[in-house]
Each structure stands twice: as C-alpha cells, then as structure tokens.
Amino acid sequence: MNTPPKDRRIVVVEDNSAMRTGMVESLYREGFTVKGFDNGGDALAYLDRCRGGVPLVIADLKMEPVDGLEILRRVKSASPRTEVLMVSAFGTVEAAVESMKSGAADFLTKPFSSEELRIRVRRIFEKIEREETLANLAEQNRMLQDDIAMQYDEMVGSSSAMRRIFELIEQVAGEDTTILIEGESGTGKELVARAIHRMSLRAARPFVRVNCGALNDNLLESELFGHEKGAFTGAIRQRKGRFELADGGSLFLDEVGDISGSMQVKLLRVLQEKEFERVGGEETLSTDVRVIAATHRDLSKLVMEQRFRDDLYYRLRIIPIKLPSLRERKEDIPALVEHFLRKLAVRKNMPPKTISPEGLDLLQKYTWPGNIRELENLMERLHVISPGPAISTQLIARHLAEPSRPTVLSSDHLPLEDAVSAFERTLILEALKAADGVKNQAARALGIKTSTLYSKMERLGLL
C-alpha cells in the first residue's frame, strides 16, 4: 500500500447510499480521511469552509439538483489545485470527454471494484505529490535565484562574458586566496568584490574598501595600517587601519596599480607575513583578512617596465578575474537600462520611464568609454530631464555625443551644463591617456588635487 501524502482528505459525493458507504470504507482502510455526502449542495457548502480546498473530490456524474459536472466546475473555480474523480453508471465516451475537458483528473465507470477505486485514487495522489514536488522545487529555485540576485547585487547581464564571470565568482568565493580583479574603469570591479565576499565563509565579517589611487603614500599607509597617537602632526589619537578593521573579513584594495614602489614593499610584507605595525608604533599586529585587489591598469605591462613589483603582482594575482568592458557585452545593455530605470523609479516613487527600440539601438551602438558607470549616470540624467514617461530617441542622441568630437561644443542644441561636462570629460580622458592611466599624474597635469579628479570622474561616469 502506498503512503498517501500529508493531506489525506477526500470528499465523496454520491447519492446512492450503498455505493457511497462502500467508497468511504474502502478509502478509509487505505489510510485516507474521507467525508461522504449524499448531495452536491451539502458537499459544496462543506468545501467552501475548507480553506485551500481538499486534495481530491469524488463525484457522481448524475445527481439532483446539483450534478457532478456542476460540482466539478465550481470546485475547479474555487480551488484549481483540487483534483476531481468523476464516477458514473453512464460511462459514455462523450461523458468522459466532457468531464476531462472541464478539468477532471479521471473518469471511472460503475460498477467498479474497491481495488480499482483505490488504484485510481493512488494514481491521482501520486500526481498531486509530483506536482507538489515540482512546485516546491520551483519555489526553491526562485528563492535560490533571489539569493543569487542578492549576492550579485547590481551585476546585471546574461551575455556569455557575464555568465563566465558569475561562474568564476561561484568557483572562487569559497576559497580564501587573494584575488585580482582587472578591468576598465566603470566595469563593476567593486560589485564583483562584494559578491565574492557575500558568498564566502567570511560573509558575516566586515567588507572594507580602500581606494589606493586617491591617497598619497603617507595617507595610504595610515589608512591601511593605522597610526599611533603623535605619529605625525595631526595624529591626536590612536587610529586603527583598514587591515585591523577588516580582520576576519575581506579587504578590497581598489586601484592597487597606482601605489608607489615603497608602498608596494609594505603591502607585500603584510600579504606574506600577515602582520604589520601601525605608523609610529612598535607593536607588531597580526591580521586575518582576505585581500581582493582591483585595477584598471595592465599590471603585467607595469611589471615588464619595472614599475610594479613582480613578487607583489604574483601574490595578488593568485586568482585573476578579467571583467569585460560594456562594449564587449552590448547585448546586456537593454537589461542594464531596464534595471537602472526601474531603480530610479523606486527611488523617486514613480512609474519607470521607457525607451523605444530605436533608443536602445542608439545605446548599443555607442562605445561607452566610461562603461556601466557612464550608462547609469546617463540613465539618471535622461530620467530627470525627460518631460514625459517615454525617453525620446532624440534626447538620447543629444546626450550620446562622443566626447572627442568637436561638434559637441559647437552644437546649438547642447545645454551649457552638458557642453561643460563634455569638455571636462575630454580633458580628463586626454590627461589620463597621457599619464598612462595614473590618476596622480593626470591630476597634476590638470592642476587639480587627486581627490578632485576622482570626484569629477565619478560625476562624469568615468570611474
């Protein structure tokens, strides 16, 4: 005898007293909880009181005043997951077909034996169990996808390039080795680092970020290792560094390719020895962090030029992850656009704005030097300045002019603020190119502070 599922309830509706009693007793001995009714009205009233319905209703086809087909229709309308087994002494093909079309699970012709009834009922409950199993698997899969979505945060994309990145993240997250994330500015290196941390065994511990390229040597050393009171002018109290704050968790070293040679030596030591001293201190402190480094620069080229230590390079690059640029995954642009517009709509508590297929085509033809950050900033700009719910193709075209084109500044249709931004972007990109991507050098060439350069690059979507 098969074991019925947890919900063992069956309702039998049969106006023949002997037949009804026989079915109830037979199914009761099979282990089901069975309730019998001699008319459809009472049965439907009982079913209305059963929240969520019962797994199975067995109904006679010919009854007065409510027949089996009416019971079938009303049961399926109120509880689509409830199965109905129709029985009848008038076992015509037409009756069976009509019953099945109306949603019956099976049709049984009288007279039938107790064993035949039990076989049909067992088959129906096996079907119910299979559907429940599939529904549970679907729900588990949905929850898993939600979990993955939470883990990947805003990493949107289904291109082959991004699928490889997702697979690699899942492969390496559980390990505890150092990771180097390489890719152009704006490709989402920090998002990858955060996803790795959230999927790792260190997820419950801190994720700490340091932008190495935005700080000079003295500030970076104090930021990483901390300092003692009086270590330098302005050090009015002891301060813990990021290696201490990230203990047990993950430390994300962004733009690690911009650090100086002397800082490379100090970073190599803490990676190898797992220990350091605060600036101005004598006590050696130990640390347990997983280092995830990132750079937009070609470190292998810097190693060849002897501008980056090869031993530090190999220590950082135990597991390399190379992120594709947006122009290498343009098929993801529609999904990214939808994601950013939906996020903006939630933030502003309004329906999301839309972009026509022609507008999306323009976005996919653009080269995106600032990658995903530039796309996100553009979507926010268009969301704000678009007067209606649909962002026009013309508006997109006006704001997609390449920064290197001289027509950007001479266009009669470009607002002054956008023209200034385009000019700023052009100068910054040229300075970065001349400085081989080194932001400190580019800032000096532009006559501004490195922190100001970072602020402008973030505003312009170049980070």
Side-chain angles (χ1 to χ4, degrees), residues 138-170:
E139 176 65 14
Q140 291 173 13
N141 184 62
R142 184 192 64 77
M143 293 174 63
L144 178 61
Q145 293 302 320
D146 288 347
D147 287 344
I148 291 174
M150 291 177 63
Q151 300 283 19
Y152 287 135
D153 198 16
E154 295 187 353
M155 294 177 63
V156 176
S158 57
S159 62
S160 58
M162 286 308 296
R163 286 199 301 270
R164 286 194 294 270
I165 295 298
F166 294 145
E167 291 171 1
L168 186 54
I169 289 173
E170 292 178 22

Side-chain angles (χ1 to χ4, degrees), residues 292-311:
I292 305 174
T295 181
H296 73 284
R297 308 187 66 192
D298 185 348
L299 289 190
S300 61
K301 180 182 177 183
L302 296 183
V303 169
M304 289 172 48
E305 296 172 351
Q306 297 185 345
R307 295 163 60 190
F308 198 89
R309 295 181 62 96
D310 56 354
D311 46 5

Side-chain angles (χ1 to χ4, degrees), residues 163-379:
R163 286 199 301 270
R164 286 194 294 270
I165 295 298
F166 294 145
E167 291 171 1
L168 186 54
I169 289 173
E170 292 178 22
Q171 288 174 357
V172 306
E175 303 298 328
D176 212 23
T177 49
T178 307
I179 294 175
L180 178 64
I181 306 170
E182 300 171 288
E184 297 178 10
S185 294
T187 50
K189 295 186 287 293
E190 184 173 346
L191 293 180
V192 173
R194 290 184 181 277
I196 291 171
H197 174 73
R198 281 192 293 268
M199 293 184 186
S200 73
L201 299 177
R202 296 176 178 264
R205 302 296 295 166
F207 175 89
V208 178
R209 174 184 180 271
V210 180
N211 191 329
C212 301
L215 304 171
N216 61 35
D217 275 11
N218 292 335
L219 289 176
L220 181 58
E221 183 177 9
S222 175
E223 193 73 16
L224 291 176
F225 307 124
H227 61 253
E228 298 290 351
K229 179 179 178 180
F232 50 82
T233 302
I236 59 175
R237 59 181 176 83
Q238 184 193 77
R239 183 175 185 271
K240 292 183 177 181
R242 299 303 175 95
F243 272 99
E244 281 185 83
L245 296 175
D247 192 49
S250 302
L251 179 62
F252 177 52
L253 301 179
D254 198 10
E255 299 298 356
V256 73
D258 290 351
I259 64 176
S260 68
S262 61
M263 279 304 303
Q264 291 176 33
V265 174
K266 295 172 182 177
L267 180 58
L268 177 63
R269 182 217 168 185
V270 71
L271 290 177
Q272 289 177 332
E273 308 296 334
K274 306 292 186 184
E275 59 185 29
F276 63 94
E277 291 83 37
R278 297 192 191 104
V279 176
E282 297 180 354
E283 181 185 3
T284 298
L285 306 173
S286 61
T287 182
D288 172 27
V289 299
R290 181 187 196 173
V291 171
I292 305 174
T295 181
H296 73 284
R297 308 187 66 192
D298 185 348
L299 289 190
S300 61
K301 180 182 177 183
L302 296 183
V303 169
M304 289 172 48
E305 296 172 351
Q306 297 185 345
R307 295 163 60 190
F308 198 89
R309 295 181 62 96
D310 56 354
D311 46 5
L312 177 58
Y313 172 67
Y314 294 121
R315 173 68 64 175
L316 291 172
R317 201 176 182 270
I318 294 177
I319 298 177
I321 297 178
K322 175 70 174 177
L323 293 188
S325 64
L326 187 53
R327 61 185 171 275
E328 294 174 301
R329 44 176 291 220
K330 288 190 173 182
E331 60 267 45
D332 289 331
I333 288 178
L336 286 163
V337 167
E338 181 183 0
H339 169 73
F340 291 137
L341 290 179
R342 189 169 58 246
K343 187 172 73 169
L344 287 164
V346 170
R347 188 198 308 168
K348 299 176 184 295
N349 194 26
M350 60 184 294
K353 295 192 176 184
T354 59
I355 291 180
S356 67
E358 294 77 15
L360 286 174
D361 185 57
L362 279 179
L363 295 174
Q364 288 182 289
K365 288 178 179 176
Y366 182 59
T367 56
W368 299 108
N371 291 291
I372 300 171
R373 183 72 56 76
E374 183 182 7
L375 174 61
E376 182 176 12
N377 290 348
L378 176 64
M379 288 303 103

Side-chain angles (χ1 to χ4, degrees), residues 72 76 80 82-86 97-106 127:
L72 170 62
K76 298 302 284 187
T82 296
E83 299 292 352
V84 179
L85 169 61
M86 300 297 295
V97 170
E98 187 176 3
S99 297
M100 302 301 279
K101 281 185 176 180
S102 297
D106 205 348
K127 175 176 177 285

